[in-house]
Amino acid sequence: MRKTTASTGAAQRDGGIPGQPGPREVTETAPSQDDVIPGAGPAPRPGERATVKLREGDPQEPPRYAPEWLQLREQADATARSAELLDPLRIRLANLPARHGGIVVHDLGCGTGSMGRWLAPRLDGAQHWILHDRDPYLLHFAAVASPRAAADGSRVTVETRRGDVARLTPDALVGASLVTASALLDVLTREEIGTLAAACAGAGCPALLTLSVVGRVDLTPAHPLDAEITEAFNAHQRRTGLLGPDALTVACEAFAEHGATVRVQPSGWQLGPGQRELTAQWLRGWVGAAVEQRPELGPRADRYLKERLEACAAGELEVVVHHSDLLALSRPAGGAA
């Protein structure tokens, strides 16, 4: 058995949003070797293949996300992601030279694989997805639940590569047709986003980076403490050099500096009575991060959270958590238009 603890205050990645964790402690059974799909399980350490790293991590640090939280938010993520960015992406992918096995998609910090489940069935043609994550258990879940068919029925295959999202290894994106990620940019530094943009430009591949927080939350009915909690949470997002709600602007600038055409679309969570469980978990994490940043908020924030959770349980609370999706169309390798 294994325990994973989602820390409200830690900078988090792999498909989650900092300060918005799932259950604080989750016990799960580790998958046995016999359960792993041949060719799709985590690569063993001695022969690990090139993976994407944007920051060095402590190998003893426990995984940051419980699968239950990622599953809880998956439908809200799927509903929020911008469909408007898919047409320009499809055009770019359709213009790529044909290759055996179809396009190659690198999904960074894949978590349980929700990005692939959303995107692969919306694209035509054969696809090979390379799933990157630090957690072998999440990689296993992602591989098992990955789609097997594209929009036109073409085959979708998958492999996994274990590694934290820190330095980009030189050959990590060789042959990539597309780079994807969800809720990743806001837990990166300016330098790391620059590294990511440079790597995509070097590979000549587009990047679809979804669900970056932008620092705005709308709650209905309003409460006098809403703005103060939001401000404290945003400050928490920016701790230790992370960009938090500034990440989208920095990423747009970084990709543009490398000659990419950048498009942005809103992708906010729309949470109402039908998403009470997700809303409650989000509220606990959001308020908890704000209090960690500003402990003096504690007594007022406790009352605020109690009132908000009661309204949520009664179906009387609506929340919009604003995010944005970014599509960066880098110049194809070789300088073609």
Side-chain angles (χ1 to χ4, degrees):
M1 302 290 284
R2 174 176 81 99
K3 287 185 178 180
T4 63
T5 302
S7 169
T8 300
Q12 303 174 332
R13 60 181 79 237
D14 301 336
I17 294 181
Q20 299 168 11
R24 288 197 177 258
E25 192 169 70
V26 177
T27 303
E28 66 195 43
T29 303
S32 70
Q33 197 62 35
D34 294 339
D35 294 331
V36 177
I37 297 175
R45 282 194 177 277
E48 277 186 349
R49 301 164 69 182
T51 192
V52 175
K53 300 188 74 184
L54 295 172
R55 180 185 305 139
E56 295 295 346
D58 179 357
Q60 302 304 316
E61 185 181 357
R64 294 183 175 94
Y65 289 103
E68 287 80 0
W69 166 244
L70 300 181
Q71 292 165 1
L72 180 61
R73 63 172 289 171
E74 181 165 348
Q75 186 54 56
D77 287 349
T79 302
R81 288 190 185 99
S82 171
E84 286 80 1
L85 296 179
L86 294 184
D87 280 344
L89 176 61
R90 291 185 186 107
I91 292 170
R92 168 58 62 86
L93 296 177
N95 288 330
L96 293 176
R99 66 167 79 183
H100 179 70
I103 64 170
V104 177
V105 184
H106 286 256
D107 188 17
L108 311 185
C110 67
T112 57
S114 66
M115 185 66 171
R117 286 189 291 276
W118 180 80
L119 183 58
R122 288 171 167 80
L123 299 177
D124 287 332
Q127 303 166 41
H128 181 66
W129 282 70
I130 301 173
L131 309 178
H132 299 261
D133 203 284
R134 60 175 301 182
D135 185 344
Y137 297 91
L138 294 182
L139 284 172
H140 170 75
F141 300 144
V144 168
S146 65
R148 294 297 187 255
D152 60 357
S154 298
R155 187 181 182 196
V156 175
T157 57
V158 63
E159 69 176 276
T160 61
R161 298 188 188 177
R162 184 180 178 189
D164 200 2
V165 256
R167 235 169 17 235
L168 278 174
T169 56
D171 56 349
L173 298 184
V174 169
S177 309
L178 172 65
V179 168
T180 66
S182 279
L184 175 66
L185 291 179
D186 41 82
V187 294
L188 299 182
T189 66
R190 182 178 295 271
E191 180 182 2
E192 290 162 354
I193 286 180
T195 300
L196 177 60
C200 292
C205 67
L208 180 62
L209 308 171
T210 67
L211 300 170
S212 296
V213 295
V214 295
R216 289 193 299 119
V217 177
D218 297 325
L219 297 99
T220 305
H223 187 286
L225 204 55
D226 289 346
E228 203 167 351
I229 296 291
T230 300
E231 182 181 354
F233 176 78
N234 289 343
H236 186 276
Q237 290 271 83
R238 297 183 176 105
R239 297 201 313 182
T240 66
L242 304 183
L243 288 169
D246 306 320
L248 184 73
T249 298
V250 171
C252 289
E253 293 170 352
F255 277 98
E257 286 173 2
H258 287 281
T261 300
V262 179
R263 303 181 185 219
V264 174
Q265 288 288 333
S267 55
W269 277 356
Q270 309 283 335
L271 305 181
Q275 296 81 32
R276 297 180 201 188
E277 185 179 1
L278 175 59
T279 304
Q281 284 290 359
W282 172 82
L283 275 168
R284 293 185 182 101
W286 184 62
V287 174
V291 172
E292 183 172 318
Q293 180 67 21
R294 289 184 51 194
E296 70 275 13
L297 286 174
R300 288 187 295 149
D302 287 345
R303 293 191 296 271
Y304 173 89
L305 179 60
K306 182 175 182 294
E307 293 173 13
R308 286 308 201 185
L309 289 174
E310 288 173 351
C312 176
E316 298 170 352
L317 181 65
E318 295 184 354
V319 181
V320 179
V321 183
H322 292 275
H323 308 102
S324 287
D325 292 356
L326 180 154
L327 175 65
L329 299 174
S330 297
R331 295 190 182 110

